[in-house]
Amino acid sequence: PNKKGWSGVTLPWMSTGYEMALTPLHMLTFYNAIANRGKMMKPIFTTSIVSEGRTLVERLPEVINPAICSRTTVDKVLPLLIGVVKEGTARDIYSDKYEIAGKTGTAVLNYADRKEGEEKMYQASFVGFFPAHSPKYSCIVLINNPKKGRIYGGKIAAPIFKELSDKVFAMDI
């Protein structure tokens, strides 16, 4: 709290997702931990690099934290993340073919630095995983400074997530 950028309202605002300083990869890693029933894994971009039939580099799964929270907590959070898609801010991407669990986000990027009269710059996001009860895939979609009045994560980022997840789900059948 004594660091630059903190104010008297930073802590309460953080409880609702504002004033957070997380990269998209950190956020995706956190949601992967929820998908993995609390087990946080180190992100892997590729499992191996092969050249002329020889494996040059191989990456194995690595546990960062075996339990970021109790199983009871995960069991309480999962229906909430499914609810965001079923009847919440991402209901436009609901499908009866497979369940998506996730969360929308809308942030003002220039909140602290905005000059008087300057337009707000937004970031819209959706992070989630599917199939919700037996996750195999996760993804985060971020749109920086979306245009045409569509600034909300549920309206601009979630549909992109859905387009990607539909293709991945169809190829996995």
Side-chain angles (χ1 to χ4, degrees):
N2 296 326
K3 301 279 184 192
K4 182 181 184 255
W6 277 72
S7 74
V9 295
T10 295
L11 200 54
W13 275 109
M14 287 175 75
S15 70
T16 58
Y18 288 92
E19 297 197 33
M20 300 294 287
L22 296 173
T23 68
L25 186 56
H26 284 110
M27 191 66 73
L28 184 58
T29 301
F30 174 77
Y31 277 83
N32 278 332
I34 300 299
N36 288 326
R37 302 290 187 245
K39 185 191 303 181
M40 184 177 278
M41 305 298 291
K42 182 176 182 180
I44 299 175
F45 291 102
T46 183
T47 55
S48 63
I49 298 172
V50 178
S51 176
E52 298 177 2
R54 287 183 327 135
T55 302
L56 303 176
V57 176
E58 186 172 16
R59 303 272 188 244
L60 299 173
E62 186 180 328
V63 177
I64 296 173
N65 186 338
I68 64 164
C69 61
S70 71
R71 186 61 151 248
T72 305
T73 299
V74 172
D75 291 343
K76 289 178 181 177
V77 169
L78 185 59
L80 299 174
L81 296 175
I82 292 169
V84 168
V85 176
K86 212 171 196 174
E87 56 204 33
T89 52
R91 64 184 163 274
D92 293 347
I93 70 166
Y94 174 77
S95 170
D96 58 358
K97 307 277 186 269
Y98 64 99
E99 268 188 321
I100 297 171
K103 182 68 183 86
T104 61
T106 308
V108 178
L109 295 175
N110 59 344
Y111 178 78
D113 303 326
R114 193 164 54 105
K115 309 289 184 262
E116 191 174 324
E118 185 180 8
E119 273 193 45
K120 291 179 182 175
M121 292 176 53
Y122 291 92
Q123 178 175 275
S125 64
F126 183 84
V127 59
F129 50 87
F130 63 96
H133 289 287
S134 186
K136 288 178 74 175
Y137 305 100
S138 63
C139 181
I140 186 167
V141 175
L142 293 151
I143 309 296
N144 279 311
N145 206 17
K147 304 291 183 212
K148 299 184 182 169
R150 299 182 72 198
I151 59 168
Y152 299 107
K155 295 296 179 191
I156 192 155
I160 295 168
F161 180 99
K162 178 74 162 71
E163 188 175 334
L164 293 168
S165 66
D166 281 351
K167 289 179 181 177
V168 168
F169 185 76
M171 290 174 39
D172 195 36
I173 292 179

